Amino acid sequence: MIKPKAELVNFNLLGDDRGSLISLENSRNIGFDIKRMYYIYSTKKNISRGFHAHKKLKQLLIAVSGSVDIYCEYQNKKQTYSLNSPNIGLVLEGPVWHIMQNFSENAVLVVLADDFYDENDYIREYESFYMTQIQTKE
Ligand code: TYD
């Protein structure tokens, strides 16, 4: 189990009169090395996803199109982050309970992760997550 973290980051815009460009590089503007990328799109109306936390996984979530809200909970903090621009990212590390909701029709949520998919890294029961919060309390 690693220390939980949920933090918004702003990316440097490399735009010019042709349009915008954002570059993300291992360890430079992302706090970890990327091993996996996945994306969530064509999400149906009123669908919420997630409802889990991770033990060790570090992830960076970016709405490269449209918008989505990410409800996060850890160590008595409960906060919803709105991802509504490709130059904003949400870093999620370790045991943060999160729910992805209010997907706009055109939403494409890209997620960069520091490890391969591993079901053993998931905490899918809220009660088990709650127990980890007691263990990782500072
Ligand atoms: P799931 O964990 O339900 O997605 P979310 O929590 O974001 O709503 O994932 C859906 C399915 O896809 C599930 O069977 C696991 C699988 N999956 C992979 O095989 N690889 C991956 O990188 C991810 C994120 C999911």
Side-chain angles (χ1 to χ4, degrees):
M1 200 79 61
I2 62 165
K3 222 175 127 197
K5 177 172 160 181
E7 193 177 274
L8 280 181
V9 286
N10 278 289
F11 306 127
N12 201 16
L13 262 180
L14 306 170
D16 54 31
D17 53 9
R18 295 170 297 171
S20 303
L21 189 154
I22 288 170
S23 167
L24 303 177
E25 298 181 297
N26 276 351
S27 307
R28 291 191 173 169
N29 48 4
I30 300 179
F32 54 81
D33 283 354
I34 303 157
K35 261 196 185 168
R36 174 167 54 113
M37 170 191 177
Y38 62 92
Y39 33 100
I40 294 170
Y41 64 103
S42 298
T43 307
K44 304 265 169 11
K45 256 191 188 160
N46 302 319
I47 288 290
S48 300
R49 307 189 59 134
F51 299 94
H52 64 250
H54 288 279
K55 295 173 190 166
K56 288 185 180 159
L57 192 68
K58 297 181 179 178
Q59 303 194 94
L60 175 62
L61 289 70
I62 308 156
V64 293
S65 168
S67 61
V68 56
D69 293 336
I70 318 289
Y71 168 82
C72 295
E73 186 176 324
Y74 68 100
Q75 291 173 342
N76 300 328
K77 291 178 210 147
K78 293 176 183 178
Q79 196 162 343
T80 299
Y81 299 91
S82 270
L83 300 182
N84 52 17
S85 164
N87 74 331
I88 302 170
L90 177 66
V91 175
L92 291 184
E93 294 186 3
V96 176
W97 188 260
H98 59 281
I99 300 169
M100 301 164 246
Q101 54 200 8
N102 302 326
F103 284 85
S104 67
E105 222 170 288
N106 58 341
V108 180
L109 181 66
V110 167
V111 184
L112 307 175
D114 79 334
D115 212 345
F116 300 121
Y117 172 75
D118 176 11
E119 188 58 38
N120 291 323
D121 188 68
Y122 279 73
I123 306 166
R124 291 198 185 267
E125 301 292 327
Y126 184 81
E127 290 225 331
S128 310
F129 162 74
Y130 193 80
M131 291 310 290
T132 68
Q133 296 305 285
I134 295 162
Q135 287 158 19
T136 57
K137 216 165 189 174
E138 280 162 79

